[in-house]
């Protein structure tokens, strides 16, 4: 953890909340607000969003004001591999079936570390895929195709 | 005695054959998960929720509760043998437990941990049973006004007592509340923040959010710091502790149980606070504090008892008032809601079989842990040899299938992917995601009760202060928040939570 002239952790936290609050205010701009005795659907989202905005501005300001911790460098390899693994599962599960989607997801996820050995990974992926099909489709009756339709 | 009638009714539920089986499955899976470092009880419970949909509410809760306290127990095995805490609650057990293992007393440490856990579990079951009745009587006086104040208290107390910055945790609760508002507004039928996505009209499922934030985010962060594990396997010779060991450990077990029972009830304390406090207490009371860190048996017995007692009494707010004390209890509430049971102050009077069945099953489950775990210690040790490079792809896959299975929806898988990214971001900027989950689960109830209270009071905010029960609850909230501003308390909290 490096020292830094601004508090990067606070600043990023604050900016994240400002972004979420802004997004909420835009997304709910057409909802009726109403008043306390008879609240419209927009009342609570608006109140919460304004509170989030206040928190966001406070932390952004404090982050710029004082020195603090930087963040540890981001390693792209595990991040991208895990996200890609989930994404590939979402893209293929219903179209190609659980068996193929599982193999693809496991192999992609294993790229997250350099330790993986290709043969071991592929064999393990096939075993897991079989186990997943047995457990979720055969035993628990999850309505998902096993093979491509 | 009403107490015994209730416990008997609970036992009759807990001892039904199918419930015994689900309890057993729960504690075994929980122990396995607890033994494996790298995935905590929150994603595990989230992952296994879909499996419980087909069960009766009582069976589902019994199994999920078993996973929770089983995981607490399993964590201590890893802590003693590998010096890696399987769960955050086992961090303290590492200190003296692993030291004992290195001295060739691993068997004694494991046995003391098991006996301490069982004793604490038994006492905590009684504590729950004794406290539940008066609390549920009080709860019957609650209207929307009081319940709203109670929900606020639950959220604030959870934030104040948990790790990390209070202001950031409050912001995270609010973010959770906001996410809980997504979906069709119940009273007007208008879609809020759904961005035209049909899957969002029922609101955000909390399982993909929990799995993304806690499970996948954590895995990504884990992969960045390669950890090595070395199992102390040469020396599990004798599992039967000597008289001397038992005599040394027993007072610590009793103190740990008492401390854990009290701290567990407090929101936010959950599982992390009791073992730390117990360790500090034992060290303070010891005639020779320098033995601690070098294999003192009290340093294992006290925290293990506190840990287990706390895990169980943290069910009290959930089972009597319908309010979760921590993120894991929030998942339990979610499980109840998926079963069609609306948690709230009436839960004990409306679902006595369920509540008492779960309470009684905790004692049964603890007994199972004691019986199955010591003989099976070899099995758990061999599980530790599964390399992480094989473990984590399997977890990722099961997360994907599990999230999909909740509503057969690919949208949930995408949602989980987004939450994994956000969870990783939170870890990077050093923020605890647990308050978010509390806000998310309690958000809809908070809004509903707030709107109902305002409707009754015709928009008059002072109603929360003019009703006595609500006023007292809010006064506690104010006191908690004020206390947080006092530097002396801030320092104590820092010390209490320091690892």
């Amino acid at each position: 953890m490096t020292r830094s002239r601004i508090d990067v952790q606070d600043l990023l936290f604050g900016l994240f909340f400002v972004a979420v609050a802004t997004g909420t205010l835009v997304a709910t701009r057409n909802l009726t607000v109403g008043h306390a005795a008879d609240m419209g659907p927009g009342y609570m989202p608006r109140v919460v969003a304004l509170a989030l905005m206040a928190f966001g501005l406070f932390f952004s300001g404090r982050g710029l004001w004082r020195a603090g911790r930087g963040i540890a460098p981001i390693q792209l390899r595990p991040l991208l591999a895990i996200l890609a693994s989930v994404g590939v599962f979402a893209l293929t599960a219903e179209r190609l079936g659980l068996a193929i989607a599982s193999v693809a997801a496991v192999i992609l996820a294993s790229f997250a570390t350099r330790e993986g050995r290709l043969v071991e990974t592929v064999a393990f992926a096939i075993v897991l895929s079989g186990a997943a099909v047995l457990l979720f489709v055969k035993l628990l009756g999850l309505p998902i195709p096993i093979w491509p339709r | 005695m009403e107490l015994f009638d209730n416990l008997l009714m609970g036992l009759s539920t807990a001892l039904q054959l199918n419930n015994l089986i689900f309890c057993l499955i729960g504690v075994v899976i929980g122990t396995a998960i607890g033994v494996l470092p790298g995935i905590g009880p929150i994603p595990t419970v989230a992952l296994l929720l879909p499996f419980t949909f087909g069960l009766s509410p009582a069976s589902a809760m019994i199994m999920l509760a078993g996973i929770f306290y089983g995981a607490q127990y399993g964590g201590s095995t890893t802590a003693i043998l590998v010096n890696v805490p399987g769960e955050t609650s086992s961090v303290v057990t590492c200190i003296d437990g692993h030291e004992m293992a290195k001295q060739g007393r691993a068997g004694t440490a494991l046995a003391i941990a098991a006996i301490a856990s069982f004793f604490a579990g038994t006492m905590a079951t009684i504590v729950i049973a004794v406290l539940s009745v008066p609390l549920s009587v009080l709860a019957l006086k609650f209207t929307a006004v009081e319940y709203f104040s109670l929900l606020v208290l639950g959220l604030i107390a959870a934030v104040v007592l948990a790790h990390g910055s209070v202001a950031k945790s409050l912001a995270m609760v609010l973010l959770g509340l906001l996410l809980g508002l997504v979906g069709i507004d119940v009273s007007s039928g208008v879609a809020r923040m759904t961005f035209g996505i049909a899957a969002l009209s029922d609101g955000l499922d909390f399982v993909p959010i929990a799995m993304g934030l806690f499970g996948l985010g954590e895995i990504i962060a884990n992969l960045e710091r390669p950890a090595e594990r070395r199992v102390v396997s040469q020396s599990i010779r004798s599992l039967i502790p000597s008289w001397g060991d038992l005599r040394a450990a027993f007072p610590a077990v009793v103190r740990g149980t008492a401390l854990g029972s009290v701290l567990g009830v407090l929101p936010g304390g959950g599982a992390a606070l009791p073992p730390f406090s117990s360790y500090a207490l034992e060290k303070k009371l010891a005639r020779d504090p320098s033995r601690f860190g070098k294999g003192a048996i009290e340093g294992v017995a006290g925290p293990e008892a506190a840990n287990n007692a706390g895990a169980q009494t943290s069910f009290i707010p959930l089972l009597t008032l319908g309010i979760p004390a921590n993120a894991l209890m929030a998942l339990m509430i979610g499980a109840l809601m998926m079963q069609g049971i609306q948690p709230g102050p009436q839960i004990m009077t409306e679902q006595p079989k369920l509540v008492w069945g779960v309470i009684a099953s905790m004692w049964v489950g603890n007994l199972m842990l004691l019986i199955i775990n010591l003989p099976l210690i070899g099995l758990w040790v061999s599980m530790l040899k599964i390399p992480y490079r094989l473990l984590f792809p399997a977890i990722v896959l099961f997360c994907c299938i599990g999230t999909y299975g909740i509503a057969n929806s690919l949208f949930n898988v995408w949602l989980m992917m987004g939450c994994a990214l956000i969870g990783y971001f939170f870890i990077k900027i050093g923020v605890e995601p647990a308050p978010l989950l509390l806000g998310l689960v309690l958000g809809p109830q908070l809004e509903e009760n707030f709107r109902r209270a305002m409707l009754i009071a015709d928009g008059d905010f002072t109603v929360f202060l003019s009703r006595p029960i609500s006023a007292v609850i809010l006064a506690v909230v104010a006191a908690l928040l004020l206390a947080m501003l006092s530097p002396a308390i801030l320092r104590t909290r820092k010390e209490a939570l320091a690892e």
Side-chain angles (χ1 to χ4, degrees):
Chain A
M1 207 63 77
T2 49
R3 300 295 296 178
S4 144
R5 275 175 48 215
I6 56 171
D7 194 330
V8 184
Q9 293 195 337
D10 271 15
L11 180 65
L12 287 176
F13 184 78
L15 291 179
F16 176 74
F17 274 79
V18 170
V20 171
T22 313
T24 309
L25 291 175
V26 172
T28 59
R29 67 187 181 282
N30 293 327
L31 297 180
T32 358
V33 175
H35 46 87
D38 180 24
M39 285 174 220
Y43 190 96
M44 290 292 282
R46 207 68 62 86
V47 170
V48 177
L50 289 177
L52 284 183
M53 182 68 86
F55 271 112
L57 291 174
F58 168 73
F59 281 108
S60 311
R62 197 174 80 171
L64 287 173
W65 179 257
R66 65 175 197 188
R69 269 168 297 175
I71 56 176
I74 292 170
Q75 294 180 23
L76 282 179
R77 190 185 177 108
L79 180 65
L80 293 181
I82 301 291
L83 293 184
S85 165
V86 177
V88 159
F89 182 86
L91 286 175
T92 56
E94 281 183 354
R95 267 172 250 168
L96 299 182
L98 184 61
I100 294 176
S102 300
V103 172
V106 171
I107 292 179
L108 262 176
S110 70
F111 281 118
T113 152
R114 275 176 233 276
E115 287 173 44
R117 293 155 223 169
L118 195 63
V119 181
E120 181 196 72
T121 305
V122 172
F124 184 62
I126 293 170
V127 172
L128 264 188
S129 164
V133 167
L134 274 181
L135 182 63
F136 287 93
V137 184
K138 299 288 180 199
L139 215 66
L140 292 162
L142 191 71
I144 184 172
I146 301 175
W147 299 110
R149 273 186 283 211
Chain B
M1 272 294 278
E2 200 185 351
L3 176 65
F4 288 106
D5 292 345
N6 287 332
L7 279 178
L8 275 181
M9 173 173 65
L11 273 178
S12 72
T13 307
L15 292 179
Q16 279 165 16
L17 184 64
N18 59 334
N19 286 342
L20 278 177
I21 293 171
F22 288 121
C23 187
L24 183 67
I25 296 175
V27 294
V28 169
I29 294 179
T31 311
I33 299 293
V35 166
L36 294 172
I39 182 162
I42 292 175
T44 311
V45 170
L47 188 60
L48 294 171
L49 272 185
F51 291 94
T52 64
F53 290 169
L55 308 179
S56 74
S59 307
M61 291 301 284
I62 285 173
M63 184 170 131
L64 292 173
I67 294 171
F68 177 45
Y69 53 72
Q72 302 278 335
Y73 179 86
S76 57
T77 306
T78 317
I80 291 168
L81 293 178
V82 204
N83 201 18
V84 171
E87 310 298 332
T88 44
S89 58
S90 323
V91 173
V92 202
T93 311
C94 282
I95 308 173
D96 281 289
H98 188 63
E99 209 53 46
M100 285 177 74
K102 279 204 271 186
Q103 296 162 8
R105 301 212 299 150
T108 311
L110 288 166
I112 282 292
I115 294 166
S117 295
F118 176 69
F119 178 84
T122 308
M123 298 314 289
T125 305
I126 297 173
V127 171
I128 297 177
V130 171
L131 273 185
S132 297
V133 177
L135 270 177
S136 65
V137 170
L138 179 72
L140 284 179
K141 298 201 170 85
F142 281 24
T143 66
V145 177
E146 284 82 16
Y147 197 48
F148 172 79
S149 303
L150 187 68
L151 287 168
V152 173
L153 173 66
L155 285 174
I156 299 288
V159 163
V160 169
L161 294 166
H163 289 252
S165 145
V166 174
K168 284 188 182 171
S169 300
L170 280 178
M172 293 294 271
V173 167
L174 281 173
L175 182 62
L177 289 181
L178 185 71
L179 294 177
L181 294 176
V182 172
I184 304 276
D185 172 33
V186 197
S187 43
S188 64
V190 180
R192 299 191 292 191
M193 297 177 275
T194 59
F195 305 101
I197 300 167
L200 280 181
S201 53
D202 278 342
L204 291 166
D205 266 324
F206 59 88
V207 174
I209 295 182
M211 280 201 217
L213 285 182
F214 292 96
L216 297 184
E218 193 69 46
I219 287 179
I220 299 171
N222 272 343
L223 284 166
E224 288 191 351
R225 34 184 145 88
E228 55 170 314
R229 304 185 216 159
R230 234 175 289 113
V231 183
V232 178
S233 53
Q234 76 280 18
S235 57
I236 308 171
R237 281 190 297 261
S238 158
L239 279 169
I240 299 166
S242 70
W243 261 119
D245 288 334
L246 280 177
R247 272 234 306 277
F250 186 69
V253 171
V254 174
R255 285 190 291 266
T257 303
L259 197 62
S261 300
V262 174
L263 293 177
V265 186
L266 299 179
L273 196 56
F276 288 108
S277 317
S278 165
Y279 191 79
L281 178 73
E282 290 310 319
K283 206 170 169 181
K284 211 166 263 173
L285 289 178
R287 217 170 288 154
D288 176 16
S290 68
R291 286 189 305 120
F292 281 76
K294 294 176 194 147
I297 199 162
E298 301 96 311
V300 177
E304 277 301 312
N307 173 358
N308 213 37
Q312 269 180 249
T313 54
S314 64
F315 274 86
I316 291 179
L318 174 77
L319 290 176
T320 56
L321 304 170
I323 287 203
N326 50 44
L328 210 127
M329 294 300 132
L331 275 183
M332 295 276 182
I333 288 231
L336 279 178
M337 292 198 283
M338 287 189 171
Q339 295 273 2
I341 293 174
Q342 185 61 43
Q346 292 83 17
I347 187 166
M348 271 205 113
T349 34
E350 279 169 14
Q351 302 282 345
K353 281 222 162 89
L354 167 75
V355 170
W356 291 104
V358 173
I359 293 174
S361 83
M362 291 181 184
W363 184 75
V364 177
N366 273 292
L367 189 63
M368 286 180 182
L369 279 177
L370 188 64
I371 297 172
I372 59 177
N373 275 315
L374 289 179
L376 289 184
I377 197 77
L379 178 72
W380 305 126
V381 172
S382 62
M383 273 193 65
L384 277 170
K385 291 178 182 142
I386 302 174
Y388 198 60
R389 66 166 191 279
L390 293 182
L391 198 57
F392 80 84
I395 298 171
V396 173
L397 174 64
F398 286 128
C399 281
C400 288
I401 305 177
T403 328
Y404 175 86
I406 293 158
N408 302 323
S409 121
L410 285 178
F411 175 79
N412 275 348
V413 183
W414 291 114
L415 176 64
M416 179 177 78
M417 185 175 121
C419 288
L421 185 62
I422 296 174
Y424 175 74
F425 170 69
F426 284 154
I427 292 174
K428 276 282 163 189
I429 61 169
V431 186
E432 278 282 322
L436 188 153
L437 200 61
L438 281 177
L440 174 66
V441 171
L442 292 183
Q445 292 183 62
L446 200 70
E447 189 197 14
E448 198 191 315
N449 284 290
F450 181 56
R451 284 169 84 160
R452 208 183 291 156
M454 286 290 93
L455 210 62
I456 303 171
D458 202 26
D460 181 9
F461 288 102
T462 58
V463 68
F464 295 111
L465 298 175
S466 57
R467 299 228 186 172
I469 299 181
S470 164
V472 170
I473 298 175
L474 288 181
V476 176
V477 172
L480 273 176
L481 286 177
L482 278 179
M484 286 322 297
L485 296 174
S486 123
I489 295 194
L490 217 61
R491 216 177 309 122
T492 327
R493 173 175 176 268
K494 213 174 193 172
E495 275 165 22
L497 295 176
E499 282 170 26

